[in-house]
Amino acid sequence: LYGLTQGMSLEEQFRFFDEGYAVIVGETIARNITDYKTYRALPVAARINKTDRVSFAKVQDWSEYFGDPRQIFNIFAYDVGASFDFFVLDRFGEVILNDFFRSIGNSKSLSESSLQVFDLTVIELERDWLDYLEKVPEPQVPEIVEFSPKNGAQEVPIDTQEITVNF
């Protein structure tokens, strides 16, 4: 990615898609990309968008958005970054995503690259990304159907070696 963007992916305002893409590549190599996308990246980004409205302005201030890894940091920032890359992949395809990366390297501008590659203003691109997140289904929480010992039981022997929960 550093080569495609001529080093611009490491710049503060472009780190969000760089870090997101790094996770996508790692999960692809680990052969876990479908689960990562379906059960982690997109649902996490969608939930964050509902509670704390995601925006380019926020993610382009990567040091603030992610935080200081030596102190408190936002590990979910990677999922938000990956959600943008997944949005581009799903809507436009891999060739266009790579064109976007190259364009960032040439223009050094999200606004210019958005117009050049997607024929969208940066406001339209952000709106489409957030609309994409709005359509991500909420993950279903499994329903507990049985506990052993029973939930809230008072007389459980101290030497109990097995506790089961059935969903």
Side-chain angles (χ1 to χ4, degrees):
L1 193 52
Y2 180 88
L4 282 176
T5 65
Q6 300 176 47
M8 292 307 296
S9 63
L10 296 183
E11 294 296 316
E12 179 78 4
Q13 71 269 26
F14 305 123
R15 290 277 305 277
F16 73 98
F17 68 73
D18 177 89
E19 297 294 355
Y21 196 68
V23 177
I24 289 171
V25 169
E27 295 292 341
T28 300
I29 291 168
R31 294 191 168 107
N32 191 42
I33 191 63
T34 301
D35 283 352
Y36 173 69
K37 178 182 178 183
T38 305
Y39 302 113
R40 171 68 192 261
L42 294 184
V44 164
R47 190 173 332 113
I48 290 169
N49 186 46
K50 284 180 182 168
T51 59
D52 191 30
R53 201 70 181 158
V54 172
S55 70
F56 282 139
K58 287 181 183 176
V59 297
Q60 285 192 286
D61 186 2
W62 186 257
S63 295
E64 180 67 26
Y65 191 68
F66 176 69
D68 184 345
R70 295 168 296 180
Q71 297 175 5
I72 297 174
F73 60 94
N74 175 11
I75 193 69
F76 302 120
Y78 291 106
D79 301 317
V80 172
S83 78
F84 174 76
D85 295 322
F86 282 128
F87 157 69
V88 174
L89 286 166
D90 288 347
R91 177 149 179 216
F92 301 99
E94 188 174 356
V95 170
I96 299 300
L97 180 63
N98 288 332
D99 289 347
F100 170 71
F101 293 152
R102 282 187 201 90
S103 180
I104 289 291
N106 292 327
S107 73
K108 300 169 180 42
S109 165
L110 184 59
S111 295
E112 286 182 40
S113 292
S114 180
L115 278 172
Q116 179 185 1
V117 176
F118 307 115
D119 196 29
L120 297 169
T121 66
V122 74
I123 292 168
E124 293 168 324
L125 182 64
E126 179 181 73
R127 181 202 62 221
D128 289 358
W129 171 36
L130 299 181
D131 286 348
Y132 170 83
L133 290 179
E134 291 284 331
K135 293 177 180 127
V136 172
E138 289 278 333
Q140 296 300 310
V141 177
E143 183 180 333
I144 298 172
V145 294
E146 182 182 27
F147 291 93
S148 178
K150 295 217 178 282
N151 191 27
Q154 299 291 318
E155 304 294 325
V156 179
I158 198 158
D159 62 347
T160 298
Q161 294 191 12
E162 185 174 297
I163 298 172
T164 59
V165 178
N166 293 323
F167 297 92

